[in-house]
Amino acid sequence: MALSCLKDEDLESDTVQEAIKNTEGLQILVNLLETNHRKCKIATLLILKNITINPDIAKSITDLGAVPDIIVILDDDLSTLQKLAAEIISNISKFKKPRKIVRKTGGLPKLINLLNVPEHVLKTNKQDLNMKDQEIVDVVCATCTALWAVSQSFKSKIEIYKLNAVKYFGKLLQSCHEQIIIATLGAITQCATLADFQIALQKEGLIEDIVKYLSNENDEIKKYCAIVIFKCAENHVTSNMVRQYGGLDPLVALLTNEKVRKNKILLASVTGAVWKCSSNTENIRRLDELDTVTILIQLLSYENEEVLTNTAGAIAECARLQHNHETILKAEGIPAIVNLLNYTFENLLENVAKILAQCAENADCIRQIVQNDGIRLLWSLLRSSSPRVQASAAWALVPCIQNAKDSAEMIRSFAGGLELLVSLLESNDIGVLSCVCATIAEVARNEENLAVITDLGVVNYLAKLVPTNNEKLREHLSTAIANCCTWKKNCYHFGQLHAVKPLVSYMTSKNINVQRATALALHKLSSDPYNCITLHRNGIVKLLLQAIASKDERLQESSAKCLSNIRNLALKLSSTDHF
C-alpha cells in the first residue's frame, strides 16, 4: 500500500526524487527487488522506472548493486516484470558502469532471448491483439530499447553480434508495429559501426528491409533507416545492395521533400546516407540520372553544419566523375562551395577542400575558384588547429596551383604564406607532412618561389623527413626534393645533410608511385658529383638497372638519366683512379 501511494506521487518531480534519496528510499527500493511478492516487485519497478530518468538516481541505484537484481527479473515469466526491468535497463544504460554490469552479469543473452516471440504476434494489428499478445509486443519494444541503450558500449556490440541478434532483428523488422520497428532500427544503428555486423545485415537480408522503410510515412523510421545506410554504405557490397534494391531513388526524393527539409535531424541522416552511397562509382551514375548534384548544391545554404558536411561530402564524391564539374558550374555551385571555407566546422572544411581539389582540374571551375578568392581561403586553412583540415587544404592547393593562371605570383602575394607552408614541415602528423610536401613540390616549380622557400630553410626540413617509412610521405617528399634541387646549391646541401643515402632504400618499394618519384629525385641529386659517389657506394646501380626494365616510362627515363650521371662521373674520374 505504501508503494502504491508513493507511485501516485509525481515521481518525475525533482522535489519528490530528492525526498526519496534523502530518506534512504533508494536503498529500500533496491532491497525490495529481491522480494518474492510480485505486486510489491511490480510497484517497486514502476517507481524505479520513473525515477531512473534522473541521471543521479540512475548512478545511485547502480552503486547500490541494483543492476544484477534487475537482470534476474528478466527471467521471470510475468510479462509486466520483464517489460519494467528492460525499461529500467534502458534508463540506466546511458552510463558506462551499468552497461558494463549488464554485459558482465549475463544481461545481453537474457534480453535477446526475450526477442524470440511468435510470428503471429508481430504481424497482428494492434487493435486485433488480445491482452496477452499486447504484453508480448510491449516487452519486445522495451527489450529493443534496452539493447539500443546498452549497445553504446563497443564490447556490448560485439557480444550482441556474437549472440546472433541480427536474426531476431530481421524478424522484428517484418512486424506491423511501428514502435517495434523504431526500437529495432535504433539498436541496429548502434551496432552498425561493426564491420562483422554490417556483413551479417547483408547476409540476413536486412538491407532490403531497410531500403523498403525509406518510403515509410513515419519520419522517425526513415531517419533510422538513413542512419543505418550512412554507417554501412562505405562497404562496397552494402552500397551496391542499396542501389539494387532501389534505395537511391527514395533517398534523393527525400532531399527534395519540403517536410524533410524542415526536419534538420532527418535531413542530416538522409544527406549522410547519400554521401556514403556516393563512394560507389555505380551509385554516382544512378545519382547523376536523378540530377542529385544540382539538388545537393541547393542545400549548401542550409543552416545546419551536419547537413552541410554531409552534403559537401556527397558533392565531393560525385565530383570524382569529371562530367559533374560541369553540373556544378551550371548549378552555380562554386561560389556557394567556396563560401563554406569561411566556416569553422572541421568535418565540413575537410569535405569542402575535397570538392575544390576535384573541381580544380576543370579550367572553368578553377577560374571561378580564383575569382571567389578560393585559393586564399584554402591557404588560410593551413593555420587550422586540425591536422585533417590542414592536410585537406594542402592537398586541394596542389591542383589549384597547377591549373590557376598566375598562381605563382598569387602565392607570393599571400602575406607570410610561404613561411606558413614551410613551417608545417615540423608537423607531427604524417597526413599533413605528405600533403604539404605535395604542395611544396608544386610551389618549387616556380623559380622565385623556390628561392623564397629555400631561404626559409625548406632543404633542412625536407632532409629531416627522409628516414620515414610511410609510403605516401616518401612519394611526395621525393617529388619535393626533386623540384627543390633545381635552385643553386640545394642539390649539394641535400647531400651534406645526409638525405641521399636513405633515398636508395625507397627504390625497393613495391609502390610504383614511390619508385617513380624517388627515381626523379635521384636523377636531380645525381647532378652533384658527391651525391653520385654516395649513390654508387650504397648500391643504387643494381636498383636503377632493375628500374630501367620497368614498363613505366617515367621511371625508366629518370633511372636511366641518374645512371648516366653516375656513369659519366665514373668515366671522368677513372683516369685518376678515384672511383
Side-chain angles (χ1 to χ4, degrees):
M1 288 175 66
L3 286 168
S4 296
C5 291
L6 182 58
K7 182 171 65 69
D8 290 338
E9 296 293 327
D10 182 7
L11 295 173
E12 295 182 8
S13 162
D14 292 340
T15 305
V16 174
Q17 290 174 358
E18 280 298 314
I20 293 172
K21 283 181 65 178
N22 294 338
T23 56
E24 298 186 355
L26 294 179
Q27 290 92 323
I28 296 171
L29 291 169
V30 170
N31 289 338
L32 286 170
L33 291 174
E34 297 181 17
T35 182
N36 291 323
H37 193 287
R38 279 186 164 177
K39 287 185 177 180
C40 203
K41 194 180 288 188
I42 290 170
T44 302
L45 290 171
L46 279 167
I47 294 166
L48 287 173
K49 185 195 84 167
N50 285 290
I51 64 176
T52 49
I53 294 172
N54 183 314
D56 291 332
I57 291 180
K59 291 176 183 177
S60 295
I61 72 157
T62 301
D63 294 337
L64 289 168
V67 180
D69 293 329
I70 294 168
I71 288 170
V72 169
I73 294 171
L74 291 172
D75 286 328
D76 200 291
D77 57 3
L78 186 64
S79 297
T80 304
L81 287 172
Q82 294 172 340
K83 171 179 172 287
L84 290 170
E87 287 175 334
I88 294 170
I89 291 171
S90 177
N91 287 346
I92 64 177
S93 292
K94 294 170 185 174
F95 306 101
K96 183 177 179 180
K97 184 177 178 180
R99 289 199 299 265
K100 184 177 180 180
I101 296 172
V102 170
R103 177 172 53 84
K104 289 281 190 179
T105 54
L108 292 174
K110 294 178 189 296
L111 286 167
I112 290 172
N113 186 55
L114 292 175
L115 301 180
N116 189 13
V117 297
E119 191 173 324
H120 77 272
V121 175
L122 299 173
K123 295 193 174 182
T124 304
N125 291 323
K126 186 174 182 177
Q127 59 269 25
D128 298 326
L129 287 172
N130 58 44
M131 186 177 294
K132 184 179 178 181
D133 288 345
Q134 180 60 56
E135 287 176 352
I136 293 173
V137 169
D138 292 340
V139 170
V140 170
C141 189
T143 302
C144 285
T145 306
L147 287 169
W148 185 356
V150 175
S151 59
Q152 292 177 62
S153 160
F154 178 72
K155 289 183 179 179
S156 293
K157 292 177 190 179
I158 294 174
E159 187 168 344
I160 290 169
Y161 161 72
K162 288 180 177 178
L163 290 166
N164 200 21
V166 174
K167 180 180 73 174
Y168 295 105
F169 290 156
K171 191 166 80 169
L172 296 178
L173 286 181
Q174 305 303 320
S175 170
C176 64
H177 304 287
E178 284 193 347
Q179 68 269 36
I180 288 180
I181 295 169
I182 291 170
T184 303
L185 287 170
I188 292 173
T189 59
Q190 286 294 338
C191 297
T193 53
L194 287 179
D196 287 338
F197 194 89
Q198 293 174 8
I199 294 170
L201 291 175
Q202 297 167 10
K203 290 181 177 178
E204 293 290 337
L206 270 71
I207 302 300
E208 183 175 5
D209 293 325
I210 289 164
V211 166
K212 176 184 71 176
Y213 280 123
L214 286 172
S215 301
N216 192 278
E217 292 183 3
N218 187 301
D219 286 351
E220 205 167 358
I221 289 177
K222 288 187 284 197
K223 177 182 73 175
Y224 291 123
C225 288
I227 292 173
V228 174
I229 294 171
F230 171 71
K231 292 185 176 181
C232 296
E234 283 189 352
N235 179 294
H236 191 74
V237 175
T238 301
S239 62
N240 270 333
M241 292 175 79
V242 172
R243 183 187 73 257
Q244 290 163 1
Y245 293 132
L248 297 178
D249 295 53
L251 282 172
V252 175
L254 287 170
L255 292 178
T256 60
N257 187 306
E258 285 301 319
K259 183 182 175 184
V260 173
R261 291 193 178 193
K262 292 176 182 178
N263 186 333
K264 293 181 181 180
I265 298 175
L266 176 56
L267 185 58
S269 62
V270 173
T271 51
V274 173
W275 173 16
K276 296 306 177 181
C277 285
S278 58
S279 62
N280 183 317
T281 303
E282 289 301 314
N283 285 355
I284 295 176
R285 293 193 174 96
R286 178 56 190 156
L287 291 170
D288 288 345
E289 291 172 3
L290 299 168
D291 199 22
T292 308
V293 172
T294 302
I295 296 168
L296 291 169
I297 294 292
Q298 295 169 1
L299 290 173
L300 291 179
S301 59
Y302 200 84
E303 295 181 358
N304 179 275
E305 289 181 336
E306 189 176 356
V307 171
L308 289 174
T309 299
N310 295 342
T311 301
I315 294 171
E317 292 292 347
C318 291
R320 290 188 290 115
L321 301 188
Q322 290 188 359
H323 65 264
N324 277 325
H325 300 168
E326 294 297 329
T327 306
I328 291 170
L329 283 169
K330 288 178 182 177
E332 300 182 355
I334 296 297
I337 292 165
V338 171
N339 181 58
L340 294 176
L341 294 174
N342 292 300
Y343 283 65
T344 57
F345 194 52
E346 292 179 6
N347 294 334
L348 172 60
L349 292 173
E350 187 179 1
N351 286 344
V352 172
K354 288 178 181 177
I355 300 175
L356 296 177
Q358 301 286 354
C359 291
E361 304 289 347
N362 180 288
D364 293 325
C365 285
I366 189 61
R367 194 178 301 114
Q368 286 200 19
I369 291 171
V370 173
Q371 288 172 356
N372 287 277
D373 214 14
I375 295 180
R376 183 189 63 79
L377 289 170
L378 277 173
W379 206 283
S380 68
L381 292 184
L382 297 177
R383 300 183 187 277
S384 170
S385 58
S386 166
R388 284 170 37 227
V389 173
Q390 290 175 334
S392 297
W395 189 250
L397 284 168
V398 174
C400 288
I401 295 169
Q402 288 174 342
N403 300 310
K405 186 178 179 182
D406 300 325
S407 62
E409 186 177 341
M410 185 192 313
I411 290 167
R412 287 194 298 278
S413 70
F414 300 151
L418 291 174
E419 185 176 1
L420 170 62
L421 183 66
V422 173
S423 71
L424 287 176
L425 291 173
E426 293 184 287
S427 173
N428 294 320
D429 187 276
I430 289 291
V432 172
L433 292 173
S434 301
C435 296
V436 168
C437 282
T439 308
I440 285 174
E442 290 305 316
V443 168
R445 294 183 189 278
N446 177 267
E447 190 176 80
E448 290 183 54
N449 288 340
L450 176 54
V452 174
I453 62 175
T454 299
D455 290 341
L456 291 169
V458 72
V459 173
N460 288 316
Y461 285 118
L462 294 175
K464 287 178 183 177
L465 296 175
V466 171
T468 183
N469 291 319
N470 183 274
E471 292 285 86
K472 186 178 179 183
L473 178 54
R474 282 183 166 189
E475 176 191 349
H476 299 301
L477 175 59
S478 296
T479 307
I481 289 173
N483 291 351
C484 287
C485 279
T486 58
W487 180 254
K488 294 186 177 180
K489 292 188 176 182
N490 282 357
C491 189
Y492 168 77
H493 289 311
F494 277 119
Q496 294 300 298
L497 292 167
H498 308 291
V500 177
K501 180 180 175 181
L503 283 172
V504 174
S505 66
Y506 287 22
M507 289 299 291
T508 62
S509 171
K510 294 180 181 180
N511 187 322
I512 190 67
N513 294 324
V514 174
Q515 288 185 20
R516 190 188 302 122
T518 304
L520 178 63
L522 294 178
H523 162 225
K524 300 292 185 180
L525 288 166
S526 64
S527 62
D528 178 83
Y530 292 102
N531 291 344
C532 279
I533 294 170
T534 301
L535 290 169
H536 185 274
R537 287 176 177 171
N538 286 280
I540 193 60
V541 172
K542 181 180 178 181
L543 295 172
L544 289 174
L545 288 171
Q546 292 172 352
I548 288 172
S550 167
K551 294 180 180 179
D552 188 283
E553 291 184 1
R554 285 157 59 193
L555 175 57
Q556 287 178 341
E557 183 181 359
S558 297
S559 299
K561 288 180 178 178
C562 180
L563 196 59
S564 175
N565 288 341
I566 295 171
R567 179 61 178 162
N568 288 338
L569 180 63
L571 291 172
K572 193 180 292 183
L573 298 178
S574 61
S575 59
T576 58
D577 295 328
H578 287 156
F579 200 68

